[in-house]
Amino acid sequence: MKNSLIALSSMLMLGGTALAQKVAFEEYNLPNGLHVILHNDPSAPVVITSVMYHVGAKDENPERTGFAHFFEHLLFEGTDNIKRGDWFKIVNSNGGVNNANTTDDRTYYYEVFPSNSTQLGLWMESERLMHPVINQIGVDTQNEVVKEEKRRSYDNRPYGQILAEVKKYMFKVHPYRWTTIGSMDHLDAAKLEEFQAFNKKFYSPNNAVLVVAGQIDIAQTKKWIQDYFAPIPRGVEFKRETFVEAPITQPIHATFEDPNIQKPMFIAAYRTPSMKTRDARILDMISTYLSNGKSSKLYKKIVDDKKMALEAGAFNMSQEDYGTYIIYALPQGDATSADLMKEIDEEIVKIQTDLISEKDFQKLQNINESNYVNSNSNIEGVAGNLASYYLLYGDVNLINTEIDMFRSITREEMRDAAKKYLNPNQRLILDYLPAKDKAENK
């Protein structure tokens, strides 16, 4: 009976796999170094024109943090041929939407238009790259915008400082030690020439990838790309500094008081390897095993059964150079952080000692298959994945093959990765507490 259930589960998993279509794409380089990826999908009359730049918070001067995120805003200010304030008007009046986002490793800009506006999207992204207007009025305007974002998303948001606190203990020399929002004092102190120099260094065709995906005519799209992007000069060549963190060999204990919360949070964090490694994928599976849904090990144990926590979870925050594996819980009743850590450690030791059950392992594989299908279920997801796999992983075809890496992971590898990375002497224990004058009355 057990074998029959496993076989049935495998059949269902393979059925889900059949729904995942291979993502066809074409890629090439322009002479100025711009990498181009084209994906034709005639299923819907839309197109996404996107550019991902290999610049993030880790590329900043430690005395000028926040620059990469600042540029996420600044490069919507206008260009030589797009008047200040007109960017969003042009997009909206042509039935499109646009956005941008920044991480520690890259910055991503995109527009989604009806497919008959492919040329417009390409022209606008080429303008952003070739003719950005970076002047004092734009810097001053966006400075206020970013300050408001910091107040809303970090300073005044419950638990808004968690990532900042974890990063500063996880990393001592690597630029991952600060957040993408950066320091407002640094931005205030920066001169216009510093913003212009940052743009000149990092926002160049040879430090970017252009992705055009959707209902497109490949030949015509190539012609437009040649017309708009090929004339842009190659940027300066530079080499990124390599930062090597010493291993964490002794537990780190820290506390932080947040005036915006009434309930404390317990956090354990471990430094993990680059997202490009096999071990990073294995750790992703471990986090799914521990905390994906209400039937997961941590949630069921300390939230449902023992009622020691209101919420609990684990995730591997993978990045280009290093990752951070974070486990968290919101204590309930009389449970302390030590009580929670004891329960969590018991589950980690089980993974380190015994192979997880075949049933649980099959469930993980099914979740991986579902996530893979969902990640490429819309044109925006496909475009973002194509850009990321090229720029950060160095292999665009991972959009089709990464799922095979997950399929090949074994229970033994999960046990070994837990032994290697999730040990008590390798972690930060952070008690994230209400500020004393805000603490909940007992």
Side-chain angles (χ1 to χ4, degrees):
M1 181 65 178
K2 177 182 175 184
N3 290 336
S4 298
L5 290 174
I6 292 174
L8 175 61
S9 179
S10 298
M11 290 175 64
L12 292 172
M13 182 184 76
L14 291 173
T17 304
L19 298 174
Q21 300 295 317
K22 181 178 180 181
V23 177
F25 61 88
E26 179 179 348
E27 59 179 326
Y28 63 97
N29 288 316
L30 293 180
N32 60 12
L34 180 68
H35 194 75
V36 179
I37 304 174
L38 306 178
H39 166 66
N40 181 36
D41 179 357
S43 64
V46 296
V47 62
I48 180 168
T49 51
S50 64
V51 179
M52 184 176 286
Y53 296 91
H54 202 174
V55 55
K58 72 178 183 185
D59 297 298
E60 296 161 350
N61 178 337
E63 299 302 318
R64 290 292 183 265
T65 61
F67 263 48
H69 171 259
F70 193 88
F71 267 80
E72 175 195 319
H73 295 263
L74 187 62
L75 292 185
F76 282 104
E77 274 288 305
T79 75
D80 288 352
N81 298 301
I82 299 175
K83 292 181 181 179
R84 184 170 181 270
D86 279 2
W87 187 284
F88 298 102
K89 293 178 184 177
I90 294 172
V91 172
N92 293 336
S93 65
N94 284 275
V97 295
N98 62 264
N99 213 331
N101 53 72
T102 309
T103 71
D104 288 345
D105 298 312
R106 93 296 180 274
T107 310
Y108 186 51
Y109 302 84
Y110 66 91
E111 294 79 32
V112 183
F113 281 117
S115 55
N116 59 6
S117 293
T118 303
Q119 182 179 12
L120 174 62
L122 289 169
W123 173 73
M124 293 184 76
E125 284 302 333
S126 70
E127 275 292 301
R128 192 199 311 269
L129 180 54
M130 191 175 191
H131 298 128
V133 173
I134 300 174
N135 56 24
Q136 196 61 52
I137 187 173
V139 168
D140 292 343
T141 300
Q142 295 308 322
N143 191 298
E144 293 304 313
V145 172
V146 171
K147 284 179 179 176
E148 176 56 30
E149 180 180 347
K150 186 174 186 294
R151 286 189 289 267
R152 183 180 66 252
S153 299
Y154 294 83
D155 299 342
N156 300 325
R157 182 179 182 179
Y159 308 102
Q161 300 297 327
I162 287 175
L163 192 56
E165 288 300 304
V166 168
K167 285 163 71 74
K168 78 179 185 182
Y169 291 105
M170 283 289 99
F171 302 100
K172 297 302 181 183
V173 297
H174 196 287
Y176 286 165
R177 65 186 184 272
W178 58 78
T179 60
T180 55
I181 197 75
S183 164
M184 298 305 99
D185 289 341
H186 291 177
L187 294 176
D188 286 342
K191 295 180 172 57
L192 177 62
E193 293 77 15
E194 294 178 80
F195 291 104
Q196 293 169 336
F198 192 86
N199 179 78
K200 183 177 181 180
K201 179 176 181 179
F202 292 109
Y203 291 82
S204 63
N206 46 307
N207 196 43
V209 55
L210 166 68
V211 177
V212 188
Q215 192 179 83
I216 59 175
D217 180 317
I218 295 289
Q220 179 61 72
T221 300
K222 284 183 175 180
K223 183 179 183 305
W224 285 327
I225 291 171
Q226 181 67 28
D227 291 343
Y228 295 131
F229 287 90
I232 302 173
R234 176 183 287 268
V236 295
E237 301 291 343
F238 63 91
K239 185 177 181 180
R240 283 181 171 82
E241 186 176 353
T242 300
F243 298 92
V244 178
E245 288 285 347
I248 297 172
T249 58
Q250 295 293 327
I252 304 166
H253 295 272
T255 60
F256 180 80
E257 294 187 0
D258 187 340
N260 301 306
I261 65 172
Q262 293 184 323
K263 288 284 186 183
M265 180 180 283
F266 163 76
I267 299 154
Y270 309 75
R271 193 187 308 137
T272 54
S274 163
M275 62 189 186
K276 293 179 277 191
T277 63
R278 184 177 180 88
D279 280 356
R281 277 100 172 179
I282 298 170
L283 287 162
D284 286 341
M285 288 187 67
I286 292 174
S287 66
T288 301
Y289 174 75
L290 287 174
S291 71
N292 186 274
K294 294 186 176 181
S295 64
S296 61
K297 299 302 177 183
L298 282 186
Y299 193 97
K300 183 166 177 42
K301 179 180 183 181
I302 65 176
V303 177
D304 278 354
D305 294 345
K306 297 196 173 185
K307 300 188 179 352
M308 297 172 65
L310 294 168
E311 183 62 69
F315 60 95
N316 186 37
M317 189 174 71
S318 295
Q319 296 176 278
E320 188 176 17
D321 299 337
Y322 289 98
T324 304
Y325 194 93
I326 296 176
I327 302 174
Y328 65 92
L330 290 168
Q332 181 173 225
D334 295 328
T336 65
S337 60
D339 296 331
L340 292 170
M341 193 70 256
K342 178 178 178 294
E343 300 294 334
I344 291 168
D345 276 345
E346 285 180 1
E347 294 305 311
I348 293 175
V349 168
K350 288 179 184 178
I351 302 172
Q352 293 172 329
T353 306
D354 304 315
L355 300 181
I356 70 171
S357 71
E358 291 184 12
K359 180 181 177 182
D360 285 335
F361 186 67
Q362 188 61 67
K363 179 182 175 182
L364 286 179
Q365 293 290 8
N366 294 344
I367 292 171
N368 288 337
E369 299 288 337
S370 177
N371 290 342
Y372 169 65
V373 173
N374 290 337
S375 70
N376 293 322
S377 63
N378 59 61
I379 202 65
E380 291 95 334
V382 169
N385 286 337
L386 287 169
S388 294
Y389 282 127
Y390 168 75
L391 199 76
L392 302 179
Y393 292 81
D395 181 2
V396 185
N397 201 43
L398 280 172
I399 197 170
N400 295 311
T401 62
E402 188 177 37
I403 186 59
D404 295 327
M405 301 173 75
F406 280 101
R407 290 171 184 155
S408 70
I409 290 170
T410 66
R411 294 182 297 158
E412 288 81 3
E413 286 180 296
M414 291 180 63
R415 178 194 62 199
D416 295 344
K419 283 182 181 179
K420 185 175 182 179
Y421 298 107
L422 304 182
N423 296 303
N425 66 314
Q426 297 171 299
R427 69 188 176 201
L428 161 71
I429 299 296
L430 174 64
D431 284 308
Y432 195 93
L433 307 172
K436 287 184 173 60
D437 61 341
K438 297 285 185 178
E440 184 180 46
N441 293 327
K442 297 292 185 181

